[in-house]
């Protein structure tokens, strides 16, 4: 799961704006006046004429802003109300050396509670999306099974042979070389081989292990892999939603047979 809270605090610490690092527990009063950060004056509007120090300042600002924007966007996505105006006020005050409005212990407690709430919201969102994807996948497979040429194995794997191929099929202990393209059920591509890849057939997701054994060398097929035969709830990539049905077009280019026990012993 994405570590929002750690990312948010890391950004703050990296750029010196985490007020909880202050050594003082004193609160500011209504009489405290904080001057705004002075704007850096440049001799020209041409950014190519910036000094090295100015480029560093611009770079720090851009990186910090981009990091915080990601955090703000995620909070918005999770329907979390966050007062950016107060954040900017506190940010500016801290840069100018003003005392924070709350004690260190109060800020630490607030941030910890916020982290817990964000984590709970993330878990709830992921669970809802996972259940939604599971239902969508089941509906897709039910309709897909009715299409011409699509066959369903006992495990639930669906496949359609595009090119039969010739010769023998691989077994689970063999090494295969393939080209492939992977998409979600809505057609979104999440992966594609740029050149042929080689791997042990028993070292991949169950849907591939089973599916490629249905092909012969030179054959091509489409696999429609249920979540339980793919990654289930534990996606390896943000591009693959939890409990997603995966669609692969795979071409079996070559098979390297596993050595038998006798051959291995003689070597």
């Amino acid at each position: 799961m994405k570590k929002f809270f750690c990312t948010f605090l890391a950004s703050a610490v990296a750029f010196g704006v985490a007020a909880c690092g202050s050594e003082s527990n004193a609160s500011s009063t209504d009489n405290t006046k904080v001057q705004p950060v002075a704007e850096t004056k440049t001799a020209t509007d041409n950014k190519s004429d910036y000094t090295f120090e100015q480029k560093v300042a611009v770079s720090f600002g851009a990186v910090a802003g981009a990091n915080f924007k990601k955090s703000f966007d995620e909070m918005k996505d999770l329907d979390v109300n966050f007062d950016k105006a107060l954040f900017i006020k506190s940010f500016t005050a801290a840069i100018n050396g003003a005392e924070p409005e709350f004690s260190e212990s109060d800020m630490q407690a607030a941030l910890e509670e916020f982290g817990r709430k964000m984590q709970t919201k993330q878990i709830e969102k992921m669970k809802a999306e996972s259940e939604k994807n599971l239902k969508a996948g089941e509906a897709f497979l039910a309709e897909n099974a009715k299409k011409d040429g699509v066959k369903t194995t006992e495990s639930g794997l669906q496949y359609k042979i595009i090119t039969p191929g010739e010769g023998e099929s691989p077994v689970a202990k063999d090494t295969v070389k393939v080209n492939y393209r992977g998409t979600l059920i809505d057609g979104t591509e999440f992966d594609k081989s740029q050149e042929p890849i080689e791997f042990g057939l028993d070292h991949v997701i169950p849907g591939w292990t089973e599916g490629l054994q249905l092909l012969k060398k030179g054959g091509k097929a489409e696999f429609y892999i249920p979540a339980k035969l793919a990654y289930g709830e534990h996606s390896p990539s943000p591009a693959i939603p939890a409990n997603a049905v995966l669609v692969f077009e795979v071409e079996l280019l070559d098979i390297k047979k596993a050595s038998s026990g006798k051959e291995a012993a003689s070597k």
Side-chain angles (χ1 to χ4, degrees):
M1 182 175 66
K2 186 177 178 182
K3 301 295 185 182
F4 168 86
F5 187 51
C6 292
T7 301
F8 189 84
L9 288 184
S11 298
V13 172
F15 294 97
V17 298
C20 57
S22 171
E23 294 181 359
S24 172
N25 291 332
S27 299
S28 62
T29 66
D30 293 338
N31 295 325
T32 301
K33 294 184 179 180
V34 179
Q35 298 298 322
V37 178
E39 182 179 353
T40 302
K41 295 182 178 181
T42 58
T44 176
D45 291 332
N46 188 347
K47 61 185 178 183
S48 64
D49 293 332
Y50 278 11
T51 66
F52 172 75
E53 289 78 9
Q54 289 170 336
K55 289 180 180 179
V56 170
V58 169
S59 299
F60 265 95
V63 172
N67 284 339
F68 282 119
K69 182 181 184 302
K70 290 178 183 177
S71 299
F72 297 150
D73 288 345
E74 184 167 351
M75 283 186 278
K76 183 178 179 180
D77 187 49
L78 292 173
D79 198 27
V80 173
N81 185 26
F82 186 82
D83 194 326
K84 284 198 284 187
L86 273 178
F87 168 80
I88 293 171
K89 176 186 174 183
S90 181
F91 185 105
T92 304
I95 288 178
N96 281 294
E99 295 291 346
E101 295 186 54
F102 305 114
S103 69
E104 180 179 347
S105 60
D106 284 346
M107 289 190 291
Q108 184 67 30
L111 291 174
E112 289 177 354
E113 182 179 355
F114 175 73
R116 289 191 294 270
K117 289 183 176 180
M118 286 295 297
Q119 186 176 47
T120 298
K121 282 183 173 289
Q122 286 177 317
I123 292 172
E124 290 173 349
K125 181 183 178 183
M126 290 176 64
K127 183 178 180 180
E129 290 180 346
S130 179
E131 292 174 351
K132 179 181 177 181
N133 293 334
L134 190 60
K135 291 179 180 179
E138 290 172 347
F140 169 83
L141 291 171
E143 288 300 313
N144 194 60
K146 302 174 185 177
K147 295 181 179 179
D148 290 342
V150 175
K151 298 181 180 180
T152 305
T153 69
E154 186 177 347
S155 70
L157 172 69
Q158 293 182 358
Y159 69 99
K160 179 180 180 180
I161 300 296
I162 300 173
T163 305
E166 298 179 350
E168 61 182 334
S169 298
V171 297
K173 294 297 183 181
D174 291 341
T175 296
V176 296
K177 180 184 288 187
V178 306
N179 279 322
Y180 72 92
R181 177 174 179 264
T183 63
L184 305 178
I185 59 177
D186 65 359
T188 301
E189 181 179 294
F190 61 83
D191 197 9
K192 183 178 182 180
S193 57
Q194 301 302 314
E195 57 185 25
I197 65 167
E198 195 171 287
F199 54 84
L201 197 49
D202 58 353
H203 293 164
V204 288
I205 58 175
W208 270 53
T209 302
E210 180 182 358
L212 280 163
Q213 292 181 75
L214 302 171
L215 278 177
K216 301 181 186 299
K217 183 178 178 180
K220 181 186 290 187
E222 280 190 348
F223 300 142
Y224 313 94
I225 305 178
K228 66 180 181 179
L229 300 178
Y231 298 106
E233 296 181 348
H234 307 290
S235 169
S237 163
I240 301 176
N243 272 335
V245 168
L246 305 182
V247 180
F248 286 98
E249 182 179 285
V250 183
E251 181 182 12
L252 179 57
L253 302 174
D254 198 10
I255 304 169
K256 292 184 179 179
K257 304 302 293 183
S259 301
S260 67
K262 292 181 179 180
E263 290 174 341
S266 65
K267 291 181 179 180

